[in-house]
Coordinates of all heavy atoms in Angstrom, one line a residue:
M217 N 0.8 -1.2 0.0 CA 0.0 0.0 0.1 C 0.8 1.2 0.0 O 1.9 1.3 0.7 CB -0.9 0.0 1.2 CG -1.9 1.1 1.3 SD -2.9 0.7 2.6 CE -4.1 2.1 2.4
E218 N 0.5 2.3 -0.9 CA 1.3 3.5 -1.0 C 1.0 4.2 0.2 O -0.1 4.3 0.8 CB 1.1 4.2 -2.2 CG 1.5 3.4 -3.5 CD 1.3 4.3 -4.8 OE1 1.7 5.5 -4.6 OE2 0.8 3.6 -5.7
R219 N 2.0 5.0 0.6 CA 1.9 6.0 1.7 C 1.0 7.3 1.3 O 1.3 7.7 0.1 CB 3.3 6.6 2.2 CG 3.2 7.5 3.3 CD 4.6 7.9 3.7 NE 5.2 8.9 2.8 CZ 4.9 10.2 2.7 NH1 4.2 10.7 3.6 NH2 5.5 11.0 1.8
Q220 N 0.0 7.6 2.0 CA -0.8 8.8 1.6 C -0.1 10.1 1.8 O 0.6 10.3 2.9 CB -2.1 8.8 2.4 CG -3.1 9.8 2.0 CD -4.4 9.7 2.7 OE1 -4.6 8.6 3.3 NE2 -5.2 10.6 2.5
V221 N -0.1 10.9 0.9 CA 0.5 12.3 0.9 C -0.4 13.1 1.8 O -1.6 13.3 1.6 CB 0.6 12.9 -0.3 CG1 1.3 14.2 -0.3 CG2 1.6 12.0 -1.3
T222 N 0.2 13.8 2.8 CA -0.5 14.8 3.8 C -0.3 16.1 3.1 O 0.9 16.6 2.9 CB 0.0 14.6 5.1 OG1 -0.1 13.3 5.6 CG2 -0.7 15.6 6.0
L223 N -1.4 16.8 2.8 CA -1.2 18.1 2.2 C -1.2 19.2 3.3 O -1.9 19.0 4.3 CB -2.6 18.4 1.3 CG -2.7 17.4 0.2 CD1 -3.9 17.8 -0.6 CD2 -1.4 17.5 -0.8
P224 N -0.4 20.1 3.1 CA 0.0 21.1 4.2 C -1.1 22.3 4.3 O -0.8 23.4 4.5 CB 1.3 21.6 3.9 CG 1.4 21.6 2.4 CD 0.6 20.4 2.0
F225 N -2.3 22.0 4.0 CA -3.4 23.0 4.1 C -4.7 22.5 4.3 O -5.0 21.1 4.0 CB -3.4 23.9 2.9 CG -3.5 23.1 1.6 CD1 -4.8 22.7 1.1 CD2 -2.3 22.7 0.9 CE1 -4.8 21.9 -0.1 CE2 -2.5 22.1 -0.3 CZ -3.7 21.6 -0.8
A226 N -5.7 23.1 5.0 CA -6.9 22.6 5.2 C -7.7 22.5 3.8 O -7.6 23.5 3.1 CB -7.6 23.4 6.2
P227 N -8.7 21.6 3.7 CA -9.5 21.6 2.6 C -10.3 23.0 2.5 O -10.6 23.5 3.6 CB -10.5 20.5 2.7 CG -10.1 19.8 3.9 CD -9.0 20.6 4.7
P228 N -10.6 23.5 1.3 CA -11.3 24.8 1.2 C -12.9 24.6 1.6 O -13.3 23.4 1.6 CB -11.2 25.1 -0.2 CG -11.0 23.8 -0.9 CD -10.3 22.9 0.1
A229 N -13.4 25.7 2.0 CA -14.9 25.6 2.3 C -15.5 25.2 1.0 O -15.0 25.3 -0.1 CB -15.4 27.1 2.8
R230 N -16.7 24.7 1.1 CA -17.5 24.2 0.1 C -18.1 25.4 -0.8 O -19.1 25.7 -0.9 CB -18.6 23.4 0.4 CG -18.2 22.0 0.8 CD -18.0 21.2 -0.4 NE -17.7 19.9 0.0 CZ -17.7 18.9 -0.9 NH1 -18.2 19.0 -2.1 NH2 -17.4 17.8 -0.5
S231 N -17.0 25.9 -1.7 CA -17.6 26.9 -2.7 C -18.0 26.2 -3.9 O -17.3 25.2 -4.2 CB -16.3 27.7 -3.0 OG -15.8 28.5 -2.1
T232 N -19.1 26.6 -4.3 CA -19.8 25.7 -5.5 C -19.9 26.8 -6.7 O -20.0 28.0 -6.6 CB -21.2 25.2 -5.1 OG1 -21.9 26.4 -4.8 CG2 -21.0 24.3 -3.9
I233 N -20.0 26.1 -7.7 CA -20.4 26.8 -9.1 C -21.7 27.6 -8.9 O -21.8 28.7 -9.3 CB -20.4 25.9 -10.3 CG1 -18.9 25.4 -10.6 CG2 -21.0 26.6 -11.5 CD1 -18.0 26.4 -11.1
E234 N -22.7 26.9 -8.3 CA -24.0 27.5 -8.1 C -24.0 28.7 -7.3 O -24.8 29.6 -7.5 CB -25.0 26.5 -7.6 CG -25.3 25.3 -8.4 CD -24.1 24.1 -8.3 OE1 -23.3 24.3 -7.4 OE2 -24.1 23.3 -9.2
A235 N -23.1 28.8 -6.3 CA -23.0 29.9 -5.5 C -22.0 31.1 -6.0 O -22.0 32.1 -5.4 CB -22.5 29.5 -4.1
Y236 N -21.4 30.8 -7.1 CA -20.4 31.7 -7.7 C -21.3 32.9 -8.5 O -22.1 32.6 -9.3 CB -19.6 31.0 -8.8 CG -18.6 32.0 -9.4 CD1 -17.6 32.5 -8.6 CD2 -18.7 32.4 -10.7 CE1 -16.6 33.3 -9.3 CE2 -17.9 33.3 -11.2 CZ -16.7 33.8 -10.6 OH -15.9 34.5 -11.2
Y237 N -21.1 34.1 -8.2 CA -21.7 35.2 -8.9 C -20.7 35.7 -9.9 O -19.7 36.4 -9.6 CB -22.1 36.4 -8.0 CG -22.7 37.6 -8.6 CD1 -23.9 37.5 -9.2 CD2 -21.8 38.6 -8.8 CE1 -24.5 38.6 -9.8 CE2 -22.4 39.8 -9.5 CZ -23.7 39.7 -10.0 OH -24.1 40.8 -10.7
P238 N -20.9 35.4 -11.3 CA -20.0 35.7 -12.1 C -19.8 37.2 -12.6 O -18.7 37.7 -12.9 CB -20.5 35.0 -13.4 CG -22.0 34.8 -13.2 CD -22.1 34.7 -11.8
G239 N -20.9 38.0 -12.4 CA -20.6 39.4 -12.8 C -20.2 39.5 -14.1 O -20.8 38.9 -15.2
A240 N -19.0 40.2 -14.4 CA -18.3 40.4 -15.8 C -17.6 39.1 -16.2 O -17.0 39.0 -17.3 CB -17.5 41.5 -15.6
N241 N -17.6 38.1 -15.3 CA -17.0 36.8 -15.7 C -17.8 35.7 -16.2 O -17.5 34.5 -16.0 CB -16.1 36.3 -14.4 CG -15.1 37.3 -14.0 OD1 -14.4 37.9 -14.8 ND2 -14.9 37.5 -12.7
A242 N -18.9 36.0 -16.8 CA -19.9 35.0 -17.1 C -19.2 34.2 -18.2 O -19.5 33.0 -18.2 CB -21.2 35.6 -17.6
E243 N -18.5 34.7 -19.2 CA -17.7 33.9 -20.1 C -16.8 32.9 -19.6 O -16.7 31.8 -19.9 CB -17.1 34.8 -21.1 CG -16.5 34.1 -22.3 CD -15.9 34.9 -23.4 OE1 -16.1 36.2 -23.3 OE2 -15.3 34.4 -24.3
L244 N -16.0 33.5 -18.5 CA -15.1 32.6 -17.9 C -15.8 31.5 -17.1 O -15.3 30.3 -17.2 CB -14.3 33.4 -16.9 CG -13.3 32.6 -16.0 CD1 -12.2 31.9 -16.8 CD2 -12.7 33.4 -14.9
L245 N -16.8 31.7 -16.5 CA -17.7 30.7 -15.9 C -18.0 29.7 -16.9 O -17.9 28.4 -16.6 CB -18.8 31.2 -15.1 CG -19.8 30.3 -14.6 CD1 -19.2 29.4 -13.5 CD2 -21.0 31.1 -14.0
E246 N -18.6 30.0 -18.0 CA -18.9 29.1 -19.1 C -17.9 28.2 -19.5 O -18.0 26.9 -19.7 CB -19.5 29.8 -20.2 CG -20.1 29.0 -21.3 CD -20.8 29.7 -22.4 OE1 -21.4 30.8 -22.1 OE2 -20.7 29.3 -23.5
V247 N -16.7 28.8 -19.7 CA -15.5 28.1 -20.1 C -15.0 27.1 -19.1 O -14.7 25.9 -19.4 CB -14.3 29.0 -20.5 CG1 -13.0 28.2 -20.6 CG2 -14.6 29.9 -21.7
V248 N -15.1 27.4 -17.8 CA -14.6 26.5 -16.7 C -15.6 25.4 -16.6 O -15.2 24.2 -16.5 CB -14.6 27.3 -15.4 CG1 -14.5 26.4 -14.2 CG2 -13.4 28.3 -15.3
V249 N -16.8 25.6 -16.8 CA -17.8 24.5 -16.7 C -17.6 23.6 -17.9 O -17.6 22.4 -17.9 CB -19.3 25.0 -16.7 CG1 -20.2 23.9 -16.9 CG2 -19.6 25.8 -15.4
D250 N -17.3 24.1 -19.1 CA -17.0 23.3 -20.3 C -15.7 22.5 -20.1 O -15.6 21.3 -20.4 CB -16.8 24.2 -21.5 CG -18.1 24.7 -22.0 OD1 -19.1 24.3 -21.5 OD2 -18.0 25.7 -22.9
V251 N -14.7 23.0 -19.4 CA -13.6 22.3 -19.1 C -13.9 21.1 -18.2 O -13.5 19.9 -18.5 CB -12.4 23.2 -18.5 CG1 -11.3 22.4 -17.9 CG2 -11.8 24.2 -19.5
V252 N -14.7 21.4 -17.1 CA -14.9 20.4 -16.2 C -15.8 19.1 -16.9 O -15.6 18.0 -16.7 CB -15.8 21.0 -15.1 CG1 -16.3 19.8 -14.1 CG2 -14.7 21.8 -14.2
R253 N -16.6 19.4 -17.8 CA -17.5 18.6 -18.5 C -16.7 17.8 -19.6 O -17.2 17.0 -20.2 CB -18.7 19.4 -19.0 CG -19.6 19.6 -18.0 CD -20.9 20.3 -18.5 NE -21.8 20.7 -17.4 CZ -22.7 21.5 -17.4 NH1 -22.8 22.3 -18.6 NH2 -23.4 21.9 -16.5
G254 N -15.4 18.2 -19.8 CA -14.6 17.6 -21.0 C -15.0 18.3 -22.3 O -14.7 17.6 -23.2
E255 N -15.6 19.4 -22.3 CA -16.0 19.9 -23.6 C -15.0 21.0 -24.1 O -15.4 21.8 -25.1 CB -17.4 20.5 -23.5 CG -18.4 19.5 -23.2 CD -19.7 20.0 -22.7 OE1 -19.9 21.3 -22.8 OE2 -20.7 19.2 -22.3
A256 N -13.9 21.2 -23.5 CA -13.0 22.2 -23.8 C -11.6 21.5 -23.3 O -11.5 20.5 -22.7 CB -13.2 23.5 -23.0
P257 N -10.5 22.2 -23.8 CA -9.1 21.7 -23.4 C -9.0 21.6 -21.8 O -9.7 22.2 -21.1 CB -8.2 22.8 -23.9 CG -8.9 23.5 -24.9 CD -10.3 23.3 -24.6
R258 N -8.2 20.6 -21.3 CA -8.1 20.2 -20.1 C -7.3 21.2 -19.1 O -7.3 21.2 -18.0 CB -7.4 18.9 -19.9 CG -8.2 17.7 -20.4 CD -7.7 16.5 -20.3 NE -7.3 16.2 -19.0 CZ -6.6 15.0 -18.6 NH1 -6.3 14.2 -19.6 NH2 -6.3 14.8 -17.4
V259 N -6.5 22.1 -19.8 CA -5.8 23.0 -19.1 C -6.3 24.5 -19.3 O -6.6 25.0 -20.4 CB -4.2 23.0 -19.5 CG1 -3.4 24.1 -18.9 CG2 -3.7 21.6 -19.3
L260 N -6.5 25.1 -18.2 CA -7.0 26.4 -18.3 C -6.2 27.3 -17.3 O -6.1 26.9 -16.1 CB -8.5 26.5 -17.8 CG -9.2 27.8 -17.8 CD1 -9.4 28.4 -19.2 CD2 -10.6 27.6 -17.3
Y261 N -5.8 28.5 -17.6 CA -4.9 29.4 -16.8 C -6.0 30.6 -16.5 O -6.4 31.2 -17.3 CB -3.7 30.0 -17.6 CG -2.9 30.8 -16.7 CD1 -2.2 30.4 -15.6 CD2 -3.0 32.3 -16.9 CE1 -1.4 31.3 -14.9 CE2 -2.2 33.2 -16.3 CZ -1.4 32.7 -15.2 OH -0.8 33.6 -14.4
V262 N -6.2 30.7 -15.1 CA -7.0 31.8 -14.8 C -6.2 32.8 -13.9 O -5.5 32.3 -12.9 CB -8.2 31.2 -13.9 CG1 -9.2 32.3 -13.4 CG2 -9.1 30.1 -14.7
H263 N -6.3 34.0 -14.2 CA -5.7 35.1 -13.5 C -6.5 36.3 -13.4 O -7.5 36.4 -14.1 CB -4.3 35.4 -14.2 CG -4.5 36.2 -15.5 ND1 -4.6 37.5 -15.6 CD2 -4.6 35.6 -16.8 CE1 -4.7 37.7 -16.9 NE2 -4.8 36.6 -17.6
G264 N -6.2 37.1 -12.4 CA -6.9 38.2 -12.2 C -6.6 38.9 -10.8 O -5.7 38.3 -10.2
P265 N -7.1 40.0 -10.6 CA -6.6 40.7 -9.3 C -7.1 40.0 -8.1 O -8.1 39.1 -8.2 CB -7.4 42.2 -9.5 CG -8.4 41.9 -10.4 CD -8.0 40.9 -11.3
A266 N -6.6 40.3 -6.9 CA -7.0 39.7 -5.7 C -8.4 40.0 -5.4 O -9.0 41.1 -5.8 CB -6.2 40.3 -4.6
E267 N -9.1 39.2 -4.8 CA -10.5 39.4 -4.4 C -11.6 39.4 -5.6 O -12.5 40.0 -5.5 CB -10.8 40.5 -3.5 CG -9.8 40.5 -2.4 CD -10.2 39.6 -1.3 OE1 -11.4 39.3 -1.1 OE2 -9.3 38.9 -0.7
S268 N -11.0 38.7 -6.7 CA -12.0 38.8 -8.0 C -12.7 37.6 -8.1 O -13.5 37.5 -9.1 CB -11.1 39.1 -9.1 OG -10.1 38.1 -9.4
G269 N -12.6 36.6 -7.2 CA -13.4 35.4 -7.2 C -12.7 34.1 -7.8 O -13.3 33.1 -8.0
K270 N -11.5 34.3 -8.1 CA -10.8 33.2 -8.7 C -10.7 31.9 -7.9 O -11.1 30.8 -8.4 CB -9.2 33.5 -9.0 CG -9.0 34.6 -9.9 CD -7.5 34.9 -10.2 CE -6.8 35.3 -8.8 NZ -7.1 36.5 -8.2
S271 N -10.5 32.0 -6.7 CA -10.5 30.8 -5.6 C -11.8 30.1 -5.7 O -11.9 29.0 -5.8 CB -10.0 31.3 -4.4 OG -8.6 31.6 -4.5
H272 N -12.9 31.0 -5.4 CA -14.2 30.5 -5.4 C -14.5 29.6 -6.7 O -15.1 28.6 -6.6 CB -15.2 31.5 -5.2 CG -16.7 31.1 -4.9 ND1 -17.6 31.8 -4.3 CD2 -17.4 30.0 -5.5 CE1 -18.7 31.2 -4.3 NE2 -18.7 30.1 -5.1
L273 N -14.2 30.3 -7.8 CA -14.5 29.7 -9.2 C -13.9 28.4 -9.2 O -14.4 27.4 -9.7 CB -14.2 30.7 -10.2 CG -14.4 30.1 -11.6 CD1 -15.8 29.7 -11.9 CD2 -13.8 31.1 -12.7
L274 N -12.6 28.2 -8.9 CA -11.8 27.1 -9.1 C -12.2 26.1 -8.1 O -12.1 24.9 -8.4 CB -10.3 27.4 -9.1 CG -9.9 28.2 -10.3 CD1 -8.4 28.6 -10.1 CD2 -10.2 27.6 -11.7
Q275 N -12.5 26.4 -6.9 CA -13.0 25.5 -5.8 C -14.3 24.9 -6.3 O -14.6 23.7 -6.2 CB -13.1 26.1 -4.4 CG -11.8 26.5 -3.7 CD -12.0 27.5 -2.6 OE1 -13.1 27.6 -2.1 NE2 -11.0 28.0 -2.2
G276 N -15.2 25.7 -6.9 CA -16.5 25.3 -7.3 C -16.3 24.3 -8.6 O -16.9 23.3 -8.7
A277 N -15.2 24.6 -9.4 CA -15.1 23.6 -10.4 C -14.6 22.3 -10.0 O -15.0 21.2 -10.5 CB -14.0 24.3 -11.4
A278 N -13.8 22.3 -8.9 CA -13.3 21.0 -8.4 C -14.4 20.3 -7.8 O -14.6 19.0 -8.0 CB -12.2 21.2 -7.2
V279 N -15.4 20.9 -7.1 CA -16.6 20.4 -6.6 C -17.5 19.7 -7.7 O -17.9 18.5 -7.6 CB -17.3 21.3 -5.7 CG1 -18.7 20.7 -5.3 CG2 -16.6 21.6 -4.5
L280 N -17.6 20.4 -8.8 CA -18.4 20.0 -9.8 C -17.8 18.9 -10.6 O -18.4 18.0 -11.0 CB -18.6 21.2 -10.9 CG -19.4 20.9 -12.1 CD1 -20.9 20.5 -11.8 CD2 -19.4 22.1 -13.1
A281 N -16.4 18.9 -10.7 CA -15.7 17.8 -11.3 C -16.0 16.5 -10.5 O -16.2 15.4 -11.0 CB -14.3 18.1 -11.5
R282 N -15.8 16.6 -9.2 CA -16.1 15.4 -8.3 C -17.5 14.9 -8.4 O -17.8 13.7 -8.6 CB -15.7 15.7 -6.9 CG -14.3 15.8 -6.6 CD -13.8 15.8 -5.2 NE -14.4 17.0 -4.5 CZ -13.8 18.3 -4.5 NH1 -12.6 18.4 -5.1 NH2 -14.3 19.2 -3.8
R283 N -18.4 15.8 -8.5 CA -19.9 15.4 -8.9 C -20.1 14.7 -10.0 O -20.9 13.7 -10.2 CB -20.8 16.6 -8.8 CG -21.1 17.3 -7.4 CD -22.3 18.3 -7.7 NE -22.2 19.3 -6.8 CZ -22.5 20.6 -7.0 NH1 -22.8 20.9 -8.3 NH2 -22.4 21.4 -6.1
N284 N -19.2 15.0 -11.1 CA -19.3 14.3 -12.3 C -18.2 13.2 -12.5 O -18.0 12.8 -13.6 CB -19.1 15.4 -13.4 CG -20.2 16.2 -13.7 OD1 -21.2 15.9 -14.2 ND2 -20.2 17.5 -13.2
R285 N -17.8 12.7 -11.3 CA -16.9 11.6 -11.2 C -15.6 11.9 -12.1 O -15.1 10.9 -12.7 CB -17.6 10.3 -11.6 CG -18.7 10.0 -10.7 CD -19.1 8.6 -10.9 NE -19.9 8.3 -9.5 CZ -21.1 7.8 -9.5 NH1 -21.7 7.4 -10.6 NH2 -21.8 7.7 -8.4
R286 N -15.2 12.9 -11.9 CA -13.8 13.4 -12.6 C -12.9 13.6 -11.5 O -13.2 14.2 -10.5 CB -14.0 14.6 -13.6 CG -15.0 14.3 -14.7 CD -15.3 15.5 -15.6 NE -13.9 15.8 -16.3 CZ -13.6 15.5 -17.5 NH1 -14.4 14.7 -18.2 NH2 -12.5 15.9 -18.0
L287 N -11.6 13.2 -11.8 CA -10.5 13.4 -10.9 C -10.2 15.0 -10.8 O -10.2 15.7 -11.9 CB -9.3 12.8 -11.4 CG -8.1 12.9 -10.4 CD1 -8.3 12.3 -8.9 CD2 -6.9 12.2 -11.0
S288 N -10.2 15.5 -9.6 CA -9.9 17.0 -9.5 C -9.2 17.3 -8.2 O -9.3 16.5 -7.2 CB -11.2 17.8 -9.6 OG -12.0 17.6 -8.5
A289 N -8.6 18.4 -8.2 CA -8.0 19.0 -6.9 C -7.8 20.4 -7.0 O -7.6 21.0 -8.0 CB -6.6 18.2 -6.7
Y290 N -8.1 21.0 -5.9 CA -7.8 22.5 -5.8 C -6.7 22.6 -4.8 O -6.8 22.1 -3.7 CB -9.1 23.3 -5.2 CG -8.7 24.6 -4.9 CD1 -8.8 25.6 -6.0 CD2 -8.4 25.1 -3.6 CE1 -8.3 26.9 -5.6 CE2 -8.1 26.5 -3.3 CZ -8.2 27.3 -4.4 OH -7.8 28.6 -4.2
I291 N -5.6 23.1 -5.3 CA -4.4 23.2 -4.5 C -4.1 24.8 -4.4 O -3.6 25.4 -5.4 CB -3.2 22.5 -5.1 CG1 -3.6 21.0 -5.2 CG2 -1.9 22.7 -4.2 CD1 -2.6 20.1 -5.9
P292 N -4.2 25.4 -3.3 CA -4.0 26.9 -3.1 C -2.5 27.1 -3.0 O -2.0 27.0 -1.9 CB -4.7 27.2 -1.8 CG -4.7 25.9 -1.0 CD -4.8 24.8 -2.0
L293 N -1.9 27.5 -4.1 CA -0.5 27.7 -4.2 C 0.0 28.8 -3.2 O 1.2 28.8 -3.0 CB 0.0 27.9 -5.7 CG -0.4 26.8 -6.6 CD1 0.0 27.2 -8.1 CD2 0.3 25.7 -6.2
G294 N -0.8 29.7 -2.8 CA -0.4 30.7 -2.0 C -0.3 30.3 -0.4 O 0.2 31.0 0.3
E295 N -0.7 29.2 0.0 CA -0.7 28.7 1.3 C 0.7 28.3 1.7 O 1.5 27.8 0.8 CB -1.7 27.5 1.5 CG -3.0 27.7 1.2 CD -3.7 28.5 2.4 OE1 -3.2 28.2 3.6 OE2 -4.6 29.3 2.2
S296 N 1.1 28.6 2.9 CA 2.3 28.2 3.3 C 2.5 26.7 3.3 O 1.5 26.0 3.7 CB 2.6 28.8 4.7 OG 1.8 28.2 5.6
G297 N 3.6 26.0 3.0 CA 3.8 24.7 3.0 C 3.6 24.1 1.6 O 3.9 22.9 1.5
V298 N 2.9 24.8 0.8 CA 2.8 24.4 -0.5 C 4.0 24.7 -1.5 O 4.3 25.9 -1.7 CB 1.5 24.9 -1.3 CG1 1.4 24.3 -2.6 CG2 0.3 24.6 -0.4
A299 N 4.8 23.7 -1.8 CA 6.1 23.9 -2.4 C 6.1 23.0 -3.7 O 5.3 21.9 -3.7 CB 7.2 23.8 -1.5
P300 N 7.0 23.2 -4.7 CA 7.1 22.3 -5.8 C 7.3 20.9 -5.5 O 6.8 19.9 -6.1 CB 8.4 22.8 -6.5 CG 8.3 24.3 -6.2 CD 7.9 24.4 -4.8
G301 N 8.0 20.5 -4.4 CA 8.2 19.2 -3.9 C 6.9 18.4 -3.7 O 6.8 17.2 -3.9
L302 N 6.0 19.1 -3.3 CA 4.6 18.5 -3.1 C 4.2 17.9 -4.3 O 3.6 16.7 -4.2 CB 3.7 19.6 -2.6 CG 2.0 19.2 -2.6 CD1 1.9 18.3 -1.3 CD2 1.3 20.4 -2.4
F303 N 4.2 18.3 -5.4 CA 3.8 17.8 -6.7 C 4.3 16.6 -7.1 O 3.9 15.7 -7.8 CB 3.7 18.9 -7.8 CG 2.8 20.1 -7.4 CD1 3.4 21.2 -6.9 CD2 1.5 20.1 -7.4 CE1 2.7 22.4 -6.6 CE2 0.6 21.1 -7.1 CZ 1.2 22.2 -6.6
A304 N 5.7 16.4 -6.6 CA 6.5 15.3 -7.0 C 5.8 14.1 -6.4 O 6.0 12.9 -6.7 CB 7.9 15.5 -6.7
Q305 N 5.1 14.2 -5.2 CA 4.5 13.2 -4.5 C 3.2 12.7 -5.0 O 2.8 11.7 -4.7 CB 4.4 13.6 -3.0 CG 5.7 14.0 -2.3 CD 5.5 14.5 -0.9 OE1 4.9 13.8 -0.2 NE2 6.1 15.6 -0.6
L306 N 2.5 13.4 -5.8 CA 1.2 13.2 -6.3 C 1.4 12.2 -7.5 O 2.3 12.4 -8.4 CB 0.5 14.5 -6.7 CG 0.3 15.5 -5.5 CD1 -0.4 16.7 -6.0 CD2 -0.5 14.8 -4.4
N307 N 0.5 11.3 -7.7 CA 0.4 10.4 -8.9 C -0.7 10.8 -9.6 O -1.8 11.1 -9.4 CB 0.3 9.1 -8.5 CG 1.5 8.5 -7.7 OD1 2.6 9.0 -8.0 ND2 1.3 7.5 -6.9

């Protein structure tokens, strides 16, 4: 049995796509949902200013992916303890 990797951060609160208010980001929301459903490329780079809803949107995408039985993870790169070596341990 493989050793389980302990992640150095708490799981995020349950942010969902349904609770996300897109405002001017309606097109981004649509693209993220398409990615989760496998209807768009698998890699998506999301950037924007602080407090613009990126974390909520991506946490919601991870929740939606799990609901659709797709492998997903939300890894908050800004948290202390999250370093490149962490990713080497993931399969």
Side-chain angles (χ1 to χ4, degrees):
M217 183 173 187
E218 291 186 44
R219 182 178 76 83
Q220 184 172 349
V221 176
T222 302
L223 300 177
F225 52 87
R230 282 287 182 156
S231 297
T232 64
I233 289 290
E234 295 81 12
Y236 180 75
Y237 176 73
N241 296 321
E243 184 177 355
L244 174 60
L245 174 60
E246 186 177 323
V247 170
V248 167
V249 170
D250 287 348
V251 168
V252 169
R253 291 183 177 150
E255 299 168 2
R258 293 178 59 186
V259 176
L260 179 65
Y261 179 74
V262 177
H263 66 93
E267 305 294 319
S268 61
K270 298 179 303 290
S271 295
H272 183 152
L273 177 61
L274 296 176
Q275 291 169 12
V279 170
L280 180 61
R282 286 190 297 274
R283 280 191 214 145
N284 286 285
R285 298 199 162 130
R286 296 178 63 95
L287 183 61
S288 70
Y290 173 79
I291 301 173
L293 299 178
E295 294 285 327
S296 66
V298 178
L302 170 71
F303 299 101
Q305 300 175 48
L306 301 176
N307 294 331

